[in-house]
Amino acid sequence: MYVATKFPKNSSFSAWVAMLPARIPTLPLEGAVTVDVAIIGAGFAGLSAARRLSQLDPTLRVAILEAGVVAEGATGRNSGFIIDLPHEVSSEDFGGSSTDRAKRDITLYRTAIGLATDMAQEYGWGHDIIDPCGRYSVAISEKGDAHIKAYARQLQGLNESHEILDARGIHEVTGSQLYTSGLYMPGTVMVQPAAYIRAVADSLRNPVTLYEHSAVRSFDRQPGGWSVKTSKGTVTAKRIILANNGHAQSFGLFPGQLLHVFTYASMSEPFDPRRLNGKRDWAATPALPMGTTVRRLSGAEGDRILIRSRYSYHAGLEINEGHVRSAGRVHDGKFADRFPNLTGVKMQYRWGGPMALTWNSVPIFGEIEPGLFAACACNGLGASKSTAAGIAAAEAVVGLKSPLVEVFSNYDSPKNLPPQPFLSIGAKADLRLREWRAGRE
């Protein structure tokens, strides 16, 4: 039996949730139900798995158990990049010897994009939910410029479409004089993550059932399947998909293998778009790892800027408002550096969100016990990697030997982390070092 020792706990709402109408959640699980597949977690991985299961076999009975309300957890705290190319513009992570790894990652990411864009077309979702606008990588230093050029050479070798922009070109996009160069990649799809994941959840139809406010308290193996218990109900299932990322460890699973890191974001109040030149909707990731992600979003009330930066390690899977405020002070400086002509524009929302990492940056995937499948450890890039993992888990559950399942199955096993207190000391020091290396980026 696997028994939960803690449950997801979120600090403040993200801007993505706060800007939407309040959600009326589905009813919690009460009583006993019997299904073919139980999915624990209704984020990118869990809901993508449900979608794929319904495609593979529309008769499958599926129960999705969400501890809170859809979009109020880690998924709704994402920055909304469903990328199609490796994320970090760094020779450390994308060098000439890693072409095979890059192609593998591209397969995963484009599978995730395919699911999202297919749903958008099927249900008529607009750009307020999903926008195939591409993304920029931006630099503000000679070191960043060098990474931009090196990354562009790798993309050329992979025959991937891209465009290098000089300082003037990236200024025309962003309206910021700080950026010294940029690289445009057209394949990324941007989402409003809370609106997107709500839309995915609300698109699911019988025999797929979503139960919100239904935290799983335990699950144990029974003859022919599994029994999953919440505070008011029980699910008897032939198979389980664990799609709860770092909180899988709350059940005693994967001890010593998951590193719990939080990243932080701030969203500005609306401002008059005439105050900032450039495009009104764009998204940029930093040229250097651990740098600053920026999005500009247009709206009826005006435009907003999102700043994402800062990382912190928390073994207990929880942060407090003090951590969010501390990161927010850094965000204010990043915002002022990039957009001095927006003096007086304040940040309206601030929040943090968790990531589950492994030491060697591999997912935890596959059938870990008979009938118990994992799609955990997103290692960042949750919108892309978790979506792909959910799809692959669904295919594995029904026995489909797909190319995606093969990719996930061929990853190395996660390496064990150092014991405490060395893990905490090392993780915190490594994060600070990486942020220092990123500098103003």
Side-chain angles (χ1 to χ4, degrees):
M1 176 179 288
Y2 296 96
V3 180
T5 56
K6 65 176 8 181
F7 302 96
K9 181 181 179 181
N10 301 311
S11 52
S12 51
F13 281 121
S14 75
W16 306 117
V17 173
M19 293 189 298
L20 293 175
R23 177 173 173 80
I24 300 174
T26 59
L27 294 175
L29 175 67
E30 294 187 0
V33 298
T34 299
V35 298
D36 297 297
V37 183
I39 299 174
I40 301 176
F44 286 119
L47 293 180
S48 299
R51 164 74 176 183
R52 185 63 178 135
L53 285 171
S54 67
Q55 290 176 325
L56 293 168
D57 185 350
T59 68
L60 282 176
R61 298 163 298 168
V62 179
I64 310 164
L65 301 167
E66 167 57 36
V69 176
V70 166
E72 293 184 5
T75 297
R77 296 161 186 273
N78 190 279
S79 292
F81 291 72
I82 311 183
I83 67 168
D84 71 324
L85 296 170
H87 186 53
E88 293 184 339
V89 185
S90 166
S91 58
E92 176 186 346
D93 296 290
F94 195 77
S97 63
S98 60
T99 299
D100 290 342
R101 183 174 64 181
K103 290 179 178 179
R104 176 202 68 194
D105 290 346
I106 290 169
T107 297
L108 300 186
Y109 302 157
R110 289 186 173 155
T111 302
I113 288 173
L115 179 138
T117 53
D118 285 350
M119 294 189 75
Q121 183 175 6
E122 180 177 349
Y123 297 109
W125 298 340
H127 284 186
D128 57 326
I129 295 178
I130 181 169
D131 184 4
C133 60
R135 73 172 168 108
Y136 297 86
S137 182
V138 289
I140 64 172
S141 66
E142 291 184 1
K143 186 177 180 181
D145 294 337
H147 280 301
I148 291 279
K149 292 176 182 177
Y151 188 47
R153 288 194 295 270
Q154 298 298 331
L155 294 182
Q156 185 174 3
L158 290 168
N159 294 316
E160 292 291 344
S161 178
H162 64 282
E163 178 187 0
I164 294 181
L165 294 88
D166 59 14
R168 179 178 178 179
I170 197 64
H171 169 69
E172 291 175 353
V173 172
T174 65
S176 174
Q177 297 280 6
L178 186 67
Y179 296 126
T180 53
S181 66
L183 179 69
Y184 176 65
M185 294 154 284
T188 289
V189 170
M190 300 302 302
V191 296
Q192 203 284 35
Y196 169 80
I197 209 65
R198 281 188 185 184
V200 176
D202 294 341
S203 72
L204 299 171
R205 297 290 181 267
N206 189 54
V208 177
T209 307
L210 168 65
Y211 300 97
E212 295 174 77
H213 289 306
S214 299
V216 173
R217 297 185 173 272
S218 67
F219 56 92
D220 62 295
R221 191 157 50 183
Q222 302 288 331
W226 292 83
S227 177
V228 184
K229 292 181 172 60
T230 68
S231 60
K232 296 183 179 180
T234 302
V235 177
T236 300
K238 296 176 182 177
R239 286 148 290 181
I240 294 175
I241 295 177
L242 292 170
N244 51 351
N245 211 16
H247 268 284
Q249 210 163 53
S250 301
F251 293 94
L253 290 158
F254 320 126
Q257 293 183 334
L258 290 176
L259 191 70
H260 304 292
V261 172
F262 281 73
T263 185
Y264 301 86
S266 296
M267 179 85 79
S268 77
E269 63 189 3
F271 60 86
D272 186 337
R274 292 173 295 184
R275 293 190 60 183
L276 183 63
N277 293 329
K279 295 183 177 181
R280 293 189 63 193
D281 288 281
W282 53 267
T285 51
L288 299 182
M290 307 290 284
T292 304
T293 294
V294 183
R295 282 185 71 174
R296 180 176 178 178
L297 303 100
S298 63
E301 298 178 344
D303 290 7
R304 297 176 183 266
I305 296 289
L306 175 142
I307 301 287
R308 191 189 74 182
S309 184
R310 288 304 307 271
Y311 296 82
S312 61
Y313 166 74
H314 298 274
L317 273 168
E318 292 181 12
I319 57 173
N320 57 42
E321 289 302 319
H323 298 116
V324 176
R325 286 194 299 270
S326 177
R329 290 190 288 271
V330 175
H331 297 164
D332 291 345
K334 304 286 189 182
F335 179 75
D337 271 355
R338 286 155 177 78
F339 307 106
N341 46 337
L342 294 180
T343 300
V345 175
K346 305 297 183 183
M347 291 296 171
Q348 185 175 358
Y349 304 104
R350 303 189 193 275
W351 67 96
M355 300 184 294
L357 314 179
T358 56
W359 196 352
N360 50 336
S361 300
V362 299
I364 294 178
F365 176 85
E367 192 170 12
I368 58 176
E369 286 191 34
L372 179 61
F373 294 78
C376 301
C378 65
N379 289 282
L381 303 182
S384 303
K385 290 184 176 179
S386 292
T387 296
I391 296 169
E395 293 173 344
V397 158
V398 300
L400 179 63
K401 305 295 185 182
S402 69
L404 192 63
V405 170
E406 183 178 357
V407 168
F408 273 97
S409 300
N410 286 335
Y411 278 100
D412 293 336
S413 299
K415 292 182 178 179
N416 289 327
L417 295 164
Q420 296 288 9
F422 304 106
L423 174 58
S424 290
I425 295 170
K428 292 176 181 180
D430 183 65
L431 290 173
R432 296 289 79 79
L433 176 61
R434 288 172 180 262
E435 289 188 337
W436 176 79
R437 286 176 176 170
R440 294 180 69 201
E441 297 276 356

